[in-house]
Amino acid sequence: MATAGKVIKCKAAVAWEPDKPVVMEEIEVAPPQANEVRIKIVATSVCHTDLYHLFERMNKDSFPTVLGHEAAGIVESVGPGVTEFQPGDKVIPLFLSQCKECSLCKNPKTNQCEVAWTRINQEMMASVESRFTCKGKKVLQFMGTSTFSEYTVINQVAVAKIDPAAPLDKVCLLGCGICTGYGAAVNTAKVEPGSTCAVFGLGAVGLAAVMGCKNAGAKRIIAVDTNPDKFEKAKVFGATEFVNPKDHDKPIHEVVTDMTNGGVDFSLECVGNVEVMRSTLLSSAQGWGVSVIVGWTDMHDVAIRPVQLIAGRTWKGSLFGGFKSKDGVPKMVKAYMEKKLKLDEFITHNMTLDQVNDAIELLKDSKCIRTVLSVSPQ
């Protein structure tokens, strides 16, 4: 392409400081260095992790940054040493890398990657290096991706090549939320046919977890949320019952336990709230229940009495649904293309990148499931 090897000036939504609206700016995106890929972002969506960083963590050293990590795009150019990708490839950026070389990548028991935690500064939730500048200042790349930009540069270990026929404005959702919830059910919990499940929190991740439970053959899926408007949506993905904690005068785990004669086989927490994590664990059956923490937070401790685990429950955590990212995402795209996976049903709003603050407010106010932002023409 004509832009290969040159600095690209383009539009991006820059978060200059925490708890403030992002600002549409012209940024400079440097050419990819060794083992890097520069991508034209076609579509991106807003995820709760973007909101968490902007409104909850409030770490001033983590700004300015360009948020966004759930996206799809087209390779514009590649740096030296890149052989897996070429200009024109359709790709999905990955916040969790898969180098395929380290001991973790070679271990089938985990989807962690040693490179991920050398590439990303966890304290700042950003790449150690950045190819972005704006008004002469270095701008951080959130989660190593930064997809609220017309162009971004990402290490090749954190990019997945996908089916060229895939609609980017749909499969962009597989960059985070849908894989996270779906995989938590099928990969981490390992939901079994005929089982009873409870999913706490019916945002996109929770609804994807409901879909995972359904596809795994669960016979009963109890959806738990304080917003009664979510149930109709949850039914679309396979929920069989809905419980609103506000409708009961006793703890929600007691309600679920009573409904299921002792607790569910599998429970999944998809909120990122430590009290909900505790309730989710206690909703699982004492002798064999498996409970999975899916929601993200590092703000508080979660408390539990040892006897609540000693009795036989298993408590697990799940990052990106347990998927090894470069392997798993293309398979999820294939499943969508084969109509074995719902994606369109998660999309409640479509906007453009310059409406990103409106999209952020919709998610903040729980008035959407996913808003897809059109960033660049294909």
Side-chain angles (χ1 to χ4, degrees), residues 132-259:
F132 290 173
T133 53
C134 182
K135 299 179 179 176
K137 292 183 179 178
K138 178 183 174 182
V139 176
L140 297 171
Q141 289 190 231
F142 179 66
M143 302 295 283
T145 53
S146 284
T147 60
F148 293 171
S149 173
E150 291 177 324
Y151 287 87
T152 190
V153 177
I154 305 175
N155 191 290
Q156 63 177 341
V157 299
V159 181
K161 189 190 298 187
I162 61 169
D163 185 336
L168 300 184
D169 59 343
K170 304 292 192 299
V171 299
C172 60
L173 300 185
L174 295 171
C176 181
I178 311 312
C179 285
T180 294
Y182 187 89
V186 300
N187 297 330
T188 309
K190 293 183 166 57
V191 170
E192 298 166 355
S195 61
T196 302
C197 301
V199 176
F200 286 67
L202 299 175
V205 173
L207 292 172
V210 169
M211 178 169 63
C213 293
K214 168 76 171 174
N215 285 9
K219 70 175 179 188
R220 200 172 169 196
I221 304 168
I222 301 167
V224 182
D225 201 289
T226 55
N227 183 351
D229 296 338
K230 297 281 186 73
F231 184 44
E232 287 306 311
K233 200 65 162 173
K235 281 204 289 192
V236 170
F237 293 101
T240 57
E241 294 151 84
F242 179 77
V243 180
N244 185 341
K246 292 180 178 178
D247 293 342
H248 301 272
D249 56 7
K250 60 183 178 181
I252 187 62
H253 71 267
E254 292 183 13
V255 176
V256 174
T257 300
D258 290 347
M259 289 172 65

Side-chain angles (χ1 to χ4, degrees), residues 42-63:
V42 172
T44 188
S45 53
V46 183
C47 170
H48 269 287
T49 309
D50 302 310
L51 271 60
Y52 170 75
H53 189 74
L54 190 60
F55 298 118
E56 293 184 50
R57 285 185 87 245
M58 307 283 274
N59 180 344
K60 291 187 177 179
D61 292 338
S62 303
F63 296 84

